[in-house]
Amino acid sequence: MSSPLSELLKNPQLAEQLLSEAQTRGFVTAMAAAPHLIDPSEWLAFLWGGDETSPFESHEELEAYANEIVNMWNQSREDLLTGQWHWPEGCTLDDKELVTEATRELAEGMLQGWQLSRDDWDTIMPEGSEDNALLGGVLLCFSLLYDPENAMEALSQEGADGLAQFEEIFTSVPTMLCGLTIKAQALAQEQ
């Protein structure tokens, strides 16, 4: 992954305090998928652990970072709502580890972001509804990608060809995530 965010994260002091690029992409994607728009000013601080004071040495650095995050959010939102979202560069399956570190970190960021928008999801797709099953399926996929070793074990215990199932899960995530975002957007507009 090479971007202005990558450049900012080359600063060891910032890299130590900010989510990694893949975690950030996951978190921002979760915010972009949320059924109701949440202003970035409400969640930006979560990208550095929620502290009120940002880790940036200057207002200009903070502004550059915030602009990059907003641009990432805008692109993610457009990609999700047009069915064009795909795994970012570096997020792939891996022969030894099942998924790359970037995939695992993106899944982690996605799950963190989902926690922040959980009330909106619970309201728009209440437990027991057909829509909640779609939400649950997407969250399960990201949970499996975040913890692939346990996922493989569970799939094997169910008698499934774990690796084939895992590849299927990974491949289906973009379509499922776009579908979930489009459905949530439609439900939010109906309210």
Side-chain angles (χ1 to χ4, degrees):
M1 294 185 206
S2 181
S3 68
L5 182 59
S6 299
E7 292 303 312
L8 278 168
L9 292 174
K10 285 183 181 174
N11 176 335
Q13 182 182 346
L14 289 177
E16 203 173 279
Q17 297 180 54
L18 297 170
L19 294 181
S20 71
E21 184 168 358
Q23 288 168 318
T24 300
R25 285 188 183 283
F27 190 95
V28 171
T29 300
M31 294 293 93
H36 300 287
L37 300 181
I38 303 171
D39 191 296
S41 65
E42 293 182 38
W43 51 263
L44 188 65
F46 285 94
L47 298 175
W48 58 77
D51 293 336
E52 283 187 33
T53 306
S54 80
F56 299 96
E57 292 182 11
S58 69
H59 178 72
E60 290 77 20
E61 269 188 347
L62 172 59
E63 191 174 330
Y65 179 77
N67 286 338
E68 182 60 23
I69 297 303
V70 169
N71 290 339
M72 186 185 296
W73 183 92
N74 285 331
Q75 186 63 58
S76 295
R77 182 82 173 162
E78 181 181 330
D79 290 348
L80 288 164
L81 289 173
T82 59
Q84 301 299 309
W85 188 87
H86 58 280
W87 287 106
E89 181 183 327
C91 291
T92 60
L93 295 173
D94 182 79
D95 290 338
K96 289 182 190 170
E97 301 293 324
L98 298 175
V99 297
T100 60
E101 184 177 345
T103 305
R104 188 184 305 244
E105 288 183 358
L106 185 127
E108 178 183 13
M110 191 73 144
L111 294 169
Q112 290 171 342
W114 236 290
Q115 287 300 315
L116 194 61
S117 60
R118 184 177 185 164
D119 288 345
D120 286 348
W121 286 107
D122 288 346
T123 300
I124 206 157
M125 296 182 170
E127 194 171 323
S129 70
E130 186 178 307
D131 295 326
N132 187 262
L134 174 61
L135 173 60
V138 171
L139 290 174
L140 177 61
C141 288
F142 279 105
S143 296
L144 295 173
L145 292 166
Y146 173 63
D147 188 6
E149 294 82 12
N150 285 333
M152 285 292 287
E153 188 176 315
L155 290 169
S156 295
Q157 287 175 358
E158 294 294 321
D161 174 358
L163 194 53
Q165 290 287 319
F166 204 79
E167 288 177 23
E168 198 173 303
I169 290 167
F170 179 84
T171 303
S172 68
V173 162
T175 302
M176 290 175 63
L177 184 57
C178 289
L180 177 67
T181 306
I182 292 166
K183 179 69 174 180
Q185 177 73 16
L187 291 171
Q189 287 177 347
E190 288 173 13
Q191 288 185 337

